[in-house]
Amino acid sequence: MLLTGAEIVVRCLQEEKVDYVFGYPGGAVLYLYDELFKQDKVRHVLVRHEQAALHAADAYSRSTERVGVALVTSGPGVTNAVTGIATAYMDSIPMVIITGQVPTAAIGQDAFQECDTVGITRPCVKHNFLVKDVKDIAPTIKKAFFIAKTGRPGPVLVDIPKDITIAKAEFDYPKSVTMRSYNPITKGHQGQIKKAVQLLLEAKRPMIYAGGGVVLSDCSDKLTKLVRMLGAPCTNTLMGLGAYPATDRQFVGMLGMHGNYEANMAMQYCDVLLAVGARFDDRVIGNPADFARVARKIIHIDIDPSSISKRVKVDVPIVGNLPDVLDDVLRLLEGSSERPDKDALGEWWKQIEEWRRRDCLKYKNSDEVIKPQFVVEKLWEVTKGDAFVTSDVGQHQMWAAQYYKFDKPRRWLNSGGLGTMGVGIPYGIGVQLAHPGSPVAVVTGEGSVQMNIQELSTCKQYRIPLKICSLNNRYLGMVRQWQEFIHGNRYSESYMDSLPDFAKLAEAYGHVGLRVEKPGDVEGALREAFKRKNDLVFIDFQVDPTENVYPMVMGGKGLTDMILSAEDL
Amino acid sequence: MRHVISVLIENEAGALSRVSGLFSARGYNIESLTVAPTEDGSLSRMTIISTGSDDIIEQITKQLNKLIEVVKVVDLSEAAHIERELMLIKVRATGKDREELKRVSDIFRGRIIDVTDSTYVIELTGNTAKLDSFVGAIDSSLILETVRTGVAGIGRGDRILRL
């Protein structure tokens, strides 16, 4: 039987067992929306701005093991979506984005709502396709899902001109994909793995540095087992939080620009560093020349060969799928007669505990004014550390990362790579739909939250009971902090005047709004919010406008050159 | 260091812009890039001349391999290989210059493939250095136009780049 292109697209999504599509209709995708209307397997979530559709699909993917799907129209639908696509790309999130395009004959004619979608998105997708024949729709969508979730994951875009959604073809969804040009590696090189195990067994000061790759490949259990077998300290990157349980003694905290003192020190002064699914980026190791100043052996396991030896020279590169490689490592360790050097480890831990005693995350609490760190600590307590937490970008993001102790992977969602303000609420939407009934907190600020505030309307339509904790300091806090440290307190355009009454704004959208001004009311407000299981509650915390994020490694400085508190300035 | 990178890539619309986009986005240098289909029409072969430290060239080959449509990447300059470039050069050929240009062209094993009362078009193949020295050997005021294809490269002997 012949089906239209639009029918084929929807059938493909059904075959992929897609339960939610996040999107926004428009001229070029009308036939697709008509087919969505006629069925009920694939549910559509109507956002208020295409950027949010991408973020929500992205979060759906981040919080599950599945591929998020977004659908937008041509031209402005696509350009609005670009920020969301780039955000997912930078954090290697598997997504499939279906975009409408003007009819084939109109392409290149500067038609209404036309843009070069494939060209515009090329640098921020893992791959993209323009479908020019209705017969190609099914194989292309199959390939898109395959490419998105295999190898180093990433967003894949399929651009479909309107006339192709009307044309007809037989529907036959391919069972499998073979591509001569794309064969992601899975097994790691056995010789290299042996070398790595030997190095780990001989290490006097081992350190394990785990990133978002561990979360994405769902191998936290294997990582945890390895860390415990080795008795080594473990740090997680911002993207890796939850990969190793934060409340475990062997966890030394997040590392990097706002990382824990003990994590950064151990990273710098270890003798064998095992990097797992992390990429030594500029916010993590600071100045690479300073990092290279200390001699250490580096083992780097990653699925993407181009992440290895990109910023830091590596001694033992292992390209492969993390779960497979970690299995091999664990097997060799278990089979070896050698064990890690207990005495050396004892010395190493003595040193680490000494660093840990600096208690780098301590802050001066106040009875007068709410400290933002205090809000996150209370959020952790009230949710018993078991909520999904999304954040926006800025100071509040760092405080959430530092003070909410994530014990499980896929619980912490933020834009680590691109640093996109405005992801908080749409991320919340994606997570909540993927995990109905679970508590979802959005830690945000009055700056970021206004970048996608319109999504409060989406939350109303789909009854998404987020708990939005806005750390309102009336400043674009991270910008203000840098201006304080580097630009002589000249707060150029970082103060926000004329803010709305957020509690009333939330109420206007049909939600519950609370405004909290006193430290004593923080816990009560949070308890009240989480008790209201079916309501979205927006809590506008009026926090200390002068608070800074510590520790901090200034740009260009070495990882151990940390400002620990205001006294160090 | 100068490197000659050969790429086998799916012969599909947009494949070239993925490669050129990669170079500009990551700030890699391209001296020349040539591309045309191979004997198998579904595949194109590219030769890219790039300069950079070993680390950068390593990243370039890794990043090229990451492109979904790239089938194979080889750095030809790692071993014995041949490079050739074609140049068409239009020169003003009048009076005593006519004879001189013909002579220099012969020395470089060039061929004159278009002749008018006042111009020649000379066809010349060779490696980049040879073409450069031909351009250097003739009076620059006589050159009206030059067009070069960029380098095409192939490994010597048993070094074969195919599926």
Side-chain angles (χ1 to χ4, degrees):
Chain A
M1 198 180 80
L2 293 177
L3 301 186
T4 66
E7 285 174 293
I8 291 172
V9 171
V10 173
R11 288 285 296 276
C12 290
L13 297 180
Q14 290 173 349
E15 291 283 337
E16 289 290 340
K17 310 237 171 347
V18 173
D19 48 4
Y20 284 107
V21 169
F22 301 87
Y24 205 99
V29 286
L30 277 172
Y31 287 88
L32 287 170
Y33 272 84
D34 200 33
E35 291 310 320
L36 282 174
F37 187 83
K38 294 177 191 162
Q39 54 85 55
D40 58 7
K41 283 189 187 139
V42 180
R43 282 173 285 180
H44 182 270
V45 177
L46 176 68
V47 293
R48 301 299 182 259
H49 183 285
E50 286 90 349
Q51 183 191 344
L54 271 292
H55 292 327
D58 168 344
Y60 182 91
S61 179
R62 282 179 203 244
S63 69
T64 62
E65 296 168 30
R66 315 194 47 199
V67 177
V69 181
L71 168 61
V72 298
T73 194
S74 64
V78 168
T79 54
N80 277 347
V82 166
T83 300
I85 299 171
T87 304
Y89 180 67
M90 285 293 275
D91 291 341
S92 309
I93 306 303
M95 284 205 326
V96 169
I97 305 116
I98 294 171
T99 56
Q101 181 55 278
V102 299
T104 320
I107 291 178
Q109 308 288 313
D110 298 324
F112 176 66
Q113 293 197 327
E114 181 187 357
C115 73
D116 174 11
T117 300
V118 165
I120 286 175
T121 59
R122 190 175 295 125
C124 60
V125 292
K126 183 169 173 188
H127 197 55
N128 58 18
F129 298 94
L130 170 62
V131 181
K132 285 185 154 170
D133 185 331
V134 64
K135 290 197 280 297
D136 293 337
I137 291 180
T140 305
I141 292 180
K142 180 75 188 178
K143 270 188 202 168
F145 276 90
F146 174 68
I147 293 170
K149 65 190 172 195
T150 51
R152 180 176 179 173
V156 179
L157 182 144
V158 182
D159 196 26
I160 310 178
K162 189 170 184 176
D163 55 318
I164 305 296
T165 66
I166 306 167
K168 288 185 172 180
E170 288 287 348
F171 175 64
D172 180 20
Y173 200 61
K175 297 254 169 332
S176 61
V177 185
T178 44
M179 293 173 74
R180 62 181 174 185
S181 63
Y182 178 68
N183 298 293
I185 299 160
T186 54
K187 284 302 248 183
H189 188 281
Q190 294 304 310
Q192 294 291 78
I193 294 174
K194 261 188 212 140
K195 256 197 245 169
V197 168
Q198 203 50 44
L199 271 177
L200 288 168
L201 283 168
E202 286 163 8
K204 305 283 179 210
R205 299 184 309 279
M207 171 73 168
I208 295 167
Y209 149 56
V214 176
V215 177
L216 288 170
S217 62
D218 294 294
C219 60
S220 294
D221 51 339
K222 298 183 205 296
L223 172 79
T224 306
K225 195 170 165 195
L226 176 65
V227 173
R228 293 198 175 138
M229 274 179 82
L230 292 172
C234 179
T235 180
N236 286 339
T237 65
L238 179 67
M239 295 310 298
L241 292 177
Y244 188 83
T247 53
D248 188 86
R249 195 191 66 90
Q250 278 171 259
F251 186 63
V252 289
M254 180 175 77
L255 82 165
M257 181 175 268
H258 295 295
N260 278 18
Y261 182 73
E262 57 269 37
N264 285 3
M265 293 297 279
M267 187 80 179
Q268 183 81 344
Y269 296 110
C270 61
D271 68 342
V272 174
L273 176 64
L274 172 64
V276 190
R279 59 189 178 92
F280 293 91
D281 84 271
D282 56 314
R283 287 295 195 265
V284 161
I285 56 149
N287 184 335
D290 185 83
F291 186 67
R293 191 167 52 85
V294 183
R296 65 177 93 60
K297 292 281 183 209
I298 302 179
I299 305 158
H300 190 176
I301 313 174
D302 206 286
I303 187 99
D304 178 4
S306 73
S307 282
I308 294 176
S309 290
K310 183 167 73 178
R311 300 192 73 245
V312 166
K313 242 337 210 196
V314 166
D315 301 284
V316 184
I318 304 173
V319 177
N321 192 30
L322 297 186
D324 291 318
V325 176
L326 289 182
D327 271 342
D328 288 343
V329 171
L330 286 167
R331 192 172 37 76
L332 285 179
L333 272 177
E334 278 162 353
S336 169
S337 55
E338 290 173 66
R339 284 290 163 253
D341 181 341
K342 270 218 167 90
D343 295 342
L345 273 175
E347 282 300 307
W348 180 222
W349 274 106
K350 232 167 77 188
Q351 172 67 71
I352 292 165
E353 292 302 340
E354 198 183 308
W355 289 328
R356 181 137 54 188
R357 274 195 294 279
R358 294 284 289 263
D359 196 8
C360 66
L361 293 182
K362 76 167 176 276
Y363 61 95
K364 244 185 238 137
N365 211 348
S366 153
D367 297 333
E368 305 292 314
V369 56
I370 301 175
K371 291 288 179 178
Q373 301 95 321
F374 176 68
V375 177
V376 179
E377 280 184 334
K378 284 293 160 196
L379 175 67
W380 181 72
E381 276 176 42
V382 167
T383 56
K384 302 188 181 68
D386 207 26
F388 287 89
V389 178
T390 81
S391 89
D392 270 302
V393 168
Q395 286 184 318
H396 67 267
Q397 175 192 22
M398 292 301 118
W399 286 316
Q402 291 173 327
Y403 294 91
Y404 199 99
K405 302 186 199 65
F406 293 94
D407 278 339
K408 293 180 194 157
R410 296 195 182 275
R411 291 298 174 104
W412 160 242
L413 293 89
N414 81 131
S415 168
L418 196 66
T420 308
M421 289 170 73
V423 296
I425 296 179
Y427 271 4
I429 294 172
V431 178
Q432 189 75 79
L433 288 169
H435 304 274
S438 296
V440 180
V442 177
V443 178
T444 182
E446 81 292 346
S448 283
V449 81
Q450 290 193 86
M451 284 214 183
N452 268 319
I453 193 89
Q454 77 287 346
E455 297 309 316
L456 286 174
S457 173
T458 311
C459 293
K460 184 65 189 170
Q461 183 170 345
Y462 298 93
R463 297 192 184 85
I464 294 173
L466 303 178
K467 309 303 174 222
I468 300 173
C469 306
S470 177
L471 307 179
N472 184 346
N473 59 5
R474 282 83 76 201
Y475 277 104
L476 301 176
M478 193 56 93
V479 174
R480 190 205 53 74
Q481 178 169 341
W482 284 52
Q483 288 171 336
E484 179 186 332
F485 289 5
I486 305 166
H487 300 282
N489 299 315
R490 290 182 300 280
Y491 296 144
S492 177
E493 304 298 322
S494 55
Y495 181 73
M496 249 192 208
D497 205 343
S498 310
L499 289 170
D501 178 333
F502 286 101
K504 275 194 185 149
L505 185 65
E507 282 167 14
Y509 276 108
H511 303 301
V512 179
L514 301 171
R515 181 183 164 98
V516 179
E517 294 173 349
K518 297 219 163 53
D521 298 334
V522 169
E523 188 174 336
L526 286 167
R527 290 201 184 280
E528 162 76 14
F530 282 94
K531 222 180 335 172
R532 290 172 163 267
K533 288 216 177 335
N534 299 318
D535 295 321
L536 183 150
V537 183
F538 190 117
I539 317 178
D540 182 16
F541 290 104
Q542 301 291 310
V543 301
D544 185 349
T546 62
E547 195 57 46
N548 289 325
V549 180
Y550 299 108
M552 178 168 181
V553 178
M554 304 287 276
K557 295 277 177 149
L559 194 53
T560 54
D561 196 353
M562 280 172 276
I563 303 170
L564 289 178
S565 68
E567 284 97 71
D568 288 355
L569 285 173
Chain B
M1 245 251 308
R2 179 175 176 277
H3 288 256
V4 184
I5 300 165
S6 258
V7 182
L8 266 187
I9 188 166
E10 297 288 350
N11 183 12
E12 277 171 24
L16 173 61
S17 63
R18 286 184 210 280
V19 172
S20 59
L22 167 68
F23 274 75
S24 60
R26 293 192 182 265
Y28 304 143
N29 172 29
I30 298 188
E31 271 182 22
S32 77
L33 186 158
T34 65
V35 57
T38 64
E39 79 285 1
D40 169 355
S42 69
L43 281 174
S44 288
R45 168 89 175 238
M46 267 179 201
T47 307
I48 302 167
I49 306 294
S50 182
T51 50
S53 63
D54 289 351
D55 289 350
I56 288 176
I57 299 297
E58 185 184 330
Q59 267 299 313
I60 289 176
T61 53
K62 284 174 169 177
Q63 294 290 348
L64 282 168
N65 268 312
K66 231 167 105 170
L67 295 176
I68 304 293
E69 285 162 340
V70 166
V71 183
K72 276 187 184 167
V73 180
V74 166
D75 183 352
L76 286 179
S77 37
E78 278 175 351
H81 69 284
I82 301 160
E83 293 173 32
R84 285 294 180 272
E85 196 179 346
L86 168 69
M87 175 166 69
L88 301 176
I89 180 164
K90 190 180 285 179
V91 287
R92 182 164 308 288
T94 50
K96 63 176 180 14
D97 292 334
R98 265 180 109 76
E99 193 46 40
E100 174 65 8
L101 284 163
K102 169 84 174 69
R103 221 163 46 80
V104 178
S105 167
D106 287 344
I107 292 169
F108 279 83
R109 271 175 259 138
R111 294 199 300 148
I112 296 171
I113 54 172
D114 182 63
V115 178
T116 68
D117 291 352
S118 57
T119 64
Y120 285 158
V121 172
I122 303 167
E123 174 198 302
L124 197 63
T125 57
N127 62 22
T128 303
K130 176 183 163 186
L131 303 193
D132 288 345
S133 42
F134 177 78
V135 172
I138 58 178
D139 180 351
S140 63
S141 68
L142 299 177
I143 300 175
L144 299 171
E145 226 180 299
T146 60
V147 50
R148 294 167 72 151
T149 57
V151 173
I154 197 163
R156 281 191 186 271
D158 290 337
R159 289 185 87 211
I160 290 160
L161 175 60
R162 57 179 302 154
L163 269 184

